Amino acid sequence: MMPALQTQPQITTLEQYENLPEDTRAEVFDGQISYMASPSQDHQTISTELTTILNSYIKSSKGSCRVFHAPFDVKLSDKPLTIVQPDLMVVCDRDKLDGKRCNGAPDFIIEIVSPGNPADDYIRKLYYYKNAGVREYWIVDPRRKTVTVNYFEKNKLNIQYSFESTIKVNIYDDLYINFSDIAELLNI
């Protein structure tokens, strides 16, 4: 006998989302709440390294963009309510920042795939990020040791690299990330 499907509570307003318990790790897609697991050690290592690289680049080039890492809310839509917490993001339009969240699409998002739900990053978030106007979206998959680059501005979709690659951040003219340096720090 198959178990009954468990329906998740509908979150229809921003106020309902903000009233969730503070330690709740959740996102909302079209009003439907989706709970998230805590990140692994490799996930955190990748996130920390990429945050450091992006932040150092922006500071050294005296750029106006800002780097944020999860948990930090991005409200992609009010109706239906869609709020995500990307693993990393770069926001260049500071008017989108209100002190609590980013309202609208960040310029660059990186998601690090969790083994429990890879379809979330490869399918669902790809759809939402592209349609919301994100300029570039990377999917870092520690299990497969791949980085999938989606550069929506130039329609260069789904270019896949190995962790041995040096990968260009397309929203910048001269930023390249050597993933083999990051891979050396992992337990995989």
Side-chain angles (χ1 to χ4, degrees):
M1 186 165 154
M2 289 187 54
L5 288 176
Q6 292 182 353
T7 57
Q8 299 294 325
Q10 194 77 6
I11 302 285
T12 55
T13 68
L14 184 60
E15 183 181 23
Q16 286 174 311
Y17 174 77
E18 289 177 338
N19 285 330
L20 289 171
E22 196 169 309
D23 61 346
T24 302
R25 291 186 35 87
E27 296 176 310
V28 180
F29 295 93
D30 294 330
Q32 194 72 29
I33 194 162
S34 178
Y35 295 98
M36 303 182 312
S38 294
S40 68
Q41 179 180 330
D42 283 339
H43 185 287
Q44 289 295 80
T45 299
I46 293 168
S47 178
T48 299
E49 291 300 310
L50 290 171
T51 300
T52 301
I53 291 166
L54 291 168
N55 205 38
S56 296
Y57 172 82
I58 291 169
K59 283 176 132 180
S60 69
S61 62
K62 299 189 182 356
S64 62
C65 301
R66 298 281 312 272
V67 179
F68 297 94
H69 56 83
F72 187 75
D73 288 346
V74 174
K75 184 172 60 159
L76 295 177
S77 170
D78 281 309
K79 293 188 186 217
L81 185 64
T82 300
I83 296 177
V84 293
Q85 292 184 352
D87 291 316
L88 275 101
M89 71 186 99
V90 174
V91 179
C92 297
D93 180 355
R94 293 205 180 185
D95 289 340
K96 291 181 178 181
L97 301 170
D98 67 5
K100 291 173 87 172
R101 69 182 58 85
C102 175
N103 296 286
D107 294 84
F108 180 41
I109 289 178
I110 299 175
E111 292 285 6
I112 302 162
V113 177
S114 300
N117 193 7
D120 202 43
D121 296 317
Y122 282 106
I123 299 168
R124 178 163 55 175
K125 289 185 178 180
L126 175 72
Y127 168 82
Y128 280 94
Y129 293 162
K130 181 178 182 184
N131 290 328
V134 172
R135 294 169 59 198
E136 186 167 359
Y137 171 43
W138 287 17
I139 304 167
V140 178
D141 192 329
R143 191 176 51 82
R144 293 182 180 171
K145 298 180 182 164
T146 60
V147 179
T148 304
V149 174
N150 300 284
Y151 186 41
F152 301 125
E153 285 191 333
K154 302 292 183 191
N155 235 10
K156 294 180 184 175
L157 295 176
N158 206 17
I159 302 170
Q160 197 167 85
Y161 299 90
S162 76
F163 272 19
E164 302 304 313
S165 302
T166 297
I167 306 169
K168 183 180 189 319
V169 178
N170 293 288
I171 67 166
Y172 293 111
D173 292 332
D174 58 350
L175 176 56
Y176 295 83
I177 297 176
N178 182 345
F179 255 84
S180 60
D181 291 345
I182 296 171
E184 288 177 7
L185 303 172
L186 303 178
N187 293 318
I188 52 178

